Amino acid sequence: MKYAQDRHITVVPEIEMPGHALAALSAYPELACTKGPFEVATKWGVFDDVFCPKDETFTFLENVLDEVIKLFPSQYIHIGGDECPKTRWKECAHCQELIKKNNLKDEHGLQSYFIHRIEKYVNSKGRKIIGWDEILEGGLAPNAAVMSWTGVNGGIEAAKSKHFAVMTPGAYCYFDHYQGDPQSEPNAFGGFTPLDKVYSYNPVPSELNAEQAKYIMGVQANLWTEYILDFKQVQYMIFPRLMALSEVGWGTSDPENYKEFENRVISHFKMLDEMKVNYARSIYNITGKVIPSNNGIAYELSTSQNVNGIRYTLDGTVPAMNSKTYQKAVQIPNSLTIKSAYFEDGQLKSAVSTQEFIVSKTTGKNITLEQQPSENYSFGGAFTLVDGIIGNIKQLGKTWLGFQGKDVVATIDFGQKTAFSEVYFNTLENKGSWIHLAKSAKIFVSDDNRNFKLIKEIGTSEIQEAHGKIKINVGTQSAQYLKVNIENAGIIPAGNPGADSKAWLFVDEIGVN
């Protein structure tokens, strides 16, 4: 602790409750709603077995907190509160009796009861609690602070009710996400959070007035280690993204002048080299952005260095110094693969980046969504669904759009009447991450964008049989507008990770042939 204090660092310990408790329940099964037996998890997940809110559980947790409070002098004690499935509580006679006895609305009210009781105990020791934004469920404890991770809404709600908040939304602050092309990066949790995205974050939501904004305490980077092998990889995931978030926290970041920041980062690499820090050099690699062009698409390449050093090929071969020199966005008239790399003084200086394009009649066309994707998985917006790129499971935050508890209703304007006979799209299934295949899909056509005719509908069984890779024969059609309604699975059923929570629906390219 003295090491931290000497550097003006406050260490805030976290004791997770009432969920993420499988390790504790494996040692003390009497603290659960069922008898077990339980086994400590050996992989990432959200598990149904959680602390049962009975007296012996609170006695145990109070004893743990007593020890933690003696060890850590911090004003705040983190009590978790996130990702707590309610499955066991719904089936538990004691929990149901507790809900009735305390006039609680439901199991979410029971979560609030749990957090309130713990807060009262922590307050009695002269400390305050902070928890992830799920502690808002059923009503926020009186003196609690919130860490807003599922987005910014938790922080906004906390600040508006005069509670302090730390902003740490996954879209900007999760450093276990990829920061470059997965082909040239170590294995990561998923998502896509490059350096420029971190630098662009403003931790004070525009929805707050000046007085409410005072309750935003700052920002936090999160690095979970399920996919981290050693400390060198920890360094790789943190640097240089921590430099970007530092400026965000200081209030000195200037996204309009990102290149100036990037140059400063590169100048600091010499210092990191001297310190033998294993930082990521991802900004040297080629990044690509799909843009609309001539009623189709083009691929814009960039690098932190001189773009004149970029070489690329369109025939699938590895770029060499004598390959095409990048000068402007590359037109994508048909399906092809672009490979690119950065050269300096005749030498290859970057990893080779590869991007495959599958062009269909929807590629580059105007598209609108009735409901927007979740902030964490919204890279590129609606255009991601018509950019010619088939989703990569390692890039959930870049090549897919993610919707929690929402349907995908997309309308595509071909610009003129267009003939087609097949509609395709992909959805994902990863139940451990609460991602479920779509429940159904409906295809509509229209010539005026007002009156739509249903031409095809498929259900759950067809989507499951196709393993989410959907190709729908719609017969011979001719229309200017195509509407695709992809239904979310809804509430996750019992027996699955995240039961009773809203399922995630991930969708990528919507194409027609």
Side-chain angles (χ1 to χ4, degrees):
M1 295 305 301
K2 187 176 186 306
Y3 181 91
Q5 289 172 340
D6 288 347
R7 289 155 180 79
H8 308 286
I9 294 170
T10 298
V11 178
V12 178
E14 178 179 353
I15 302 299
E16 183 70 40
M17 62 184 83
H20 287 300
L22 195 54
L25 298 181
S26 298
Y28 304 98
E30 66 273 14
L31 304 181
C33 292
T34 64
K35 294 181 179 180
F38 308 104
E39 292 184 9
V40 177
T42 56
K43 61 181 180 179
W44 180 89
V46 177
F47 305 100
D48 286 342
D49 291 297
V50 302
F51 283 124
C52 186
K54 49 192 176 184
D55 288 342
E56 51 262 55
T57 298
F58 288 109
T59 298
F60 168 79
L61 291 172
E62 288 168 4
N63 288 336
V64 170
L65 289 167
D66 283 345
E67 185 170 342
V68 167
I69 288 170
K70 288 178 183 177
L71 292 171
F72 295 90
S74 57
Q75 179 186 13
Y76 285 99
I77 303 296
H78 204 307
I79 50 80
D82 63 312
E83 297 180 320
C84 178
K86 309 301 188 289
T87 305
R88 297 291 184 256
W89 289 358
K90 285 185 175 182
E91 301 166 347
C92 173
H94 168 78
C95 292
Q96 294 305 309
E97 181 60 32
L98 200 58
I99 290 173
K100 292 177 183 177
K101 180 181 176 181
N102 290 278
N103 296 315
L104 305 175
K105 184 178 179 181
D106 53 20
E107 289 75 21
H108 294 288
L110 186 56
Q111 162 117 347
S112 181
Y113 165 86
F114 196 114
I115 300 301
H116 275 70
R117 184 161 169 175
I118 290 295
E119 184 194 40
K120 187 178 294 186
Y121 185 78
V122 172
N123 290 166
S124 74
K125 301 295 181 178
R127 307 296 183 86
K128 298 177 182 179
I129 68 165
I130 187 168
W132 304 107
D133 49 45
E134 287 96 330
I135 69 172
L136 290 159
E137 291 178 7
L140 190 57
N143 302 306
V146 168
M147 278 189 174
S148 191
W149 76 278
T150 58
V152 299
N153 290 336
I156 292 170
E157 184 179 341
K160 284 185 174 180
S161 58
K162 298 184 178 181
H163 285 262
F164 286 104
V166 175
M167 304 304 288
T168 179
Y172 299 92
C173 299
Y174 269 49
F175 290 1
D176 54 342
H177 291 176
Y178 285 101
Q179 54 193 312
D181 188 341
Q183 296 175 86
S184 55
E185 294 287 329
N187 195 27
F189 181 78
F192 182 62
T193 310
L195 185 67
D196 60 334
K197 188 172 184 179
V198 177
Y199 192 68
S200 72
Y201 182 51
N202 182 351
V204 181
S206 59
E207 292 87 343
L208 301 181
N209 60 36
E211 184 61 30
Q212 294 164 341
K214 293 178 182 178
Y215 288 93
I216 302 300
M217 298 171 72
V219 293
Q220 172 177 285
N222 289 334
L223 178 61
W224 311 109
T225 56
E226 293 94 340
Y227 293 83
I228 305 294
L229 300 177
D230 52 32
F231 186 65
K232 281 194 170 294
Q233 193 173 345
V234 168
Q235 293 177 327
Y236 186 93
M237 302 304 282
I238 290 176
F239 292 103
R241 288 187 286 193
L242 196 59
M243 297 178 182
L245 198 64
S246 295
E247 294 207 7
V248 167
W250 297 333
T252 59
S253 61
D254 181 8
E256 294 297 319
N257 290 311
Y258 169 73
K259 280 296 179 184
E260 188 271 336
F261 165 74
E262 194 175 62
N263 289 334
R264 285 190 284 115
V265 167
I266 292 172
S267 71
H268 277 71
F269 283 171
K270 293 179 181 178
M271 181 175 65
L272 294 178
D273 285 334
E274 291 176 1
M275 297 171 66
K276 294 182 170 43
V277 173
N278 182 43
Y279 58 90
R281 295 164 174 80
S282 310
I283 59 175
Y284 287 124
N285 294 339
I286 309 300
T287 58
K289 180 182 179 182
V290 183
I291 58 174
S293 176
N294 301 326
N295 203 32
I297 58 171
Y299 198 45
E300 205 170 57
L301 300 177
S302 64
T303 173
S304 60
Q305 306 302 294
N306 188 338
V307 294
N308 292 331
I310 296 176
R311 300 291 185 269
Y312 71 95
T313 64
L314 302 177
D315 59 2
T317 59
V318 175
M321 189 60 199
N322 60 355
S323 298
K324 292 181 181 178
T325 299
Y326 179 76
Q327 295 177 323
K328 62 180 180 178
V330 181
Q331 297 296 315
I332 311 295
N334 49 259
S335 298
L336 53 81
T337 297
I338 292 183
K339 291 192 175 185
S340 57
Y342 174 72
F343 289 81
E344 193 174 276
D345 298 327
Q347 300 294 315
L348 177 65
K349 291 291 186 178
S350 72
V352 175
S353 297
T354 302
Q355 184 58 65
E356 181 182 10
F357 288 91
I358 304 296
V359 173
S360 84
K361 293 182 178 181
T362 61
T363 305
K365 299 299 188 290
N366 183 54
I367 180 172
T368 57
L369 291 171
E370 289 188 9
Q371 299 190 84
Q372 297 308 306
S374 298
E375 185 182 17
N376 288 11
Y377 304 102
S378 60
F379 189 91
F383 191 70
T384 298
L385 300 179
V386 290
D387 65 0
I389 297 176
I390 301 300
N392 179 339
I393 195 168
K394 289 186 175 182
Q395 289 186 308
L396 293 186
K398 186 177 182 183
T399 58
W400 299 78
L401 295 186
F403 302 77
Q404 188 174 26
K406 299 177 183 177
D407 297 342
V408 176
V409 183
T411 301
I412 298 170
D413 180 1
F414 293 109
Q416 61 185 11
K417 291 192 72 168
T418 300
F420 60 94
S421 59
E422 180 186 71
V423 177
Y424 65 83
F425 64 88
N426 290 344
T427 75
L428 284 179
E429 182 175 59
N430 185 341
K431 293 181 178 179
S433 297
W434 304 11
I435 302 171
H436 289 247
L437 293 175
K439 190 174 182 180
S440 68
K442 296 178 181 177
I443 311 298
F444 303 83
V445 292
S446 171
D447 286 328
D448 58 11
N449 202 23
R450 292 189 300 275
N451 301 296
F452 282 87
K453 180 177 72 173
L454 176 66
I455 59 171
K456 192 76 173 186
E457 179 176 2
I458 63 172
T460 305
S461 60
E462 292 159 288
I463 292 172
Q464 289 178 342
E465 288 171 8
H467 302 290
K469 296 181 179 180
I470 310 304
K471 290 186 177 181
I472 304 173
N473 189 325
V474 295
T476 302
Q477 302 292 332
S478 180
Q480 180 172 341
Y481 297 93
L482 171 74
K483 179 182 284 188
V484 180
N485 187 333
I486 306 170
E487 186 183 4
N488 189 290
I491 300 299
I492 299 173
N496 291 279
D500 298 323
S501 299
K502 295 176 181 177
W504 282 93
L505 171 63
F506 277 85
V507 175
D508 77 336
E509 199 73 1
I510 299 175
V512 302
N513 293 314

